[in-house]
Amino acid sequence: MNKQGEQIIINGETFVPLLNEYEIQKRVRELGEEISRDYRGKVPVFIGVLNGAFIFMSDLLKNVDIECEIDFFKLSSYGDSKISSGNVKLLKELNCDVNDRDIIIVEDIVDTGLSIKYIGDLFSKHTPKSMKVASLLVKPESLKYDVKIDYIGFRIPSQFVIGYGLDYQQKYRNLSSIYVLSE
Ligand code: 5GP
């Protein structure tokens, strides 16, 4: 990895720090505590959206102190591009039965909102008792669909970000901070 001081250079493009590890961990802890309060006495199912949400899901769950279950499903992503293709496909189905359960969808980032809308439509075919969405990041200026995000980590500008689960050409998910493409 080509790190130059605080910056990361990838294929001649410069990424600069947006959120550091400390800021992310603090906010994730707050979200975990809020969700624990809201679901006290219930046993929700956290459903992570692969691949991007794997780190957020793991850190979030460590800060949730109520009984819960987890599952994952996988949607097609941007592929190797930096912009949404406008298409979503289901690549891995859920294993658990969500009927009559309180479910919390865990996303890494909501950009246009297409993925969350697709997920909402998918779950409308089942009958969960309730459904909420937690997303670490939201790009409010990019939203094109009317979607409700119940738990938001950070609102960020409409710029391409990497790290903490988020990839560029499938790499850089293992960075513990979040970096933004400098324009
Ligand atoms: P949406 O369907 O809301 O347009 O986009 C959601 C998905 O697009 C996310 O789960 C993520 O996979 C991808 N995505 C959106 N914005 C970014 C970004 O800035 N960086 C990366 N690496 N992926 C993004």
Side-chain angles (χ1 to χ4, degrees), residues 80-141:
D80 284 353
S81 152
K82 290 207 279 301
I83 28 168
S84 170
S85 65
N87 292 314
V88 182
K89 267 191 314 198
L90 188 64
L91 301 178
K92 179 205 167 292
E93 272 277 11
L94 285 181
N95 296 322
C96 73
D97 180 4
V98 295
N99 289 316
D100 212 26
R101 301 299 304 268
D102 294 301
I103 61 174
I104 303 169
I105 307 294
V106 181
E107 260 280 26
D108 50 352
I109 186 164
V110 176
D111 183 13
T112 62
L114 176 66
S115 306
I116 288 296
K117 189 183 167 299
Y118 178 89
I119 291 165
D121 293 347
L122 203 67
F123 280 102
S124 66
K125 298 189 189 107
H126 303 263
T127 46
K129 195 189 283 174
S130 71
M131 178 178 136
K132 285 194 180 181
V133 178
S135 185
L136 178 71
L137 305 173
V138 176
K139 295 181 187 170
E141 287 145 30

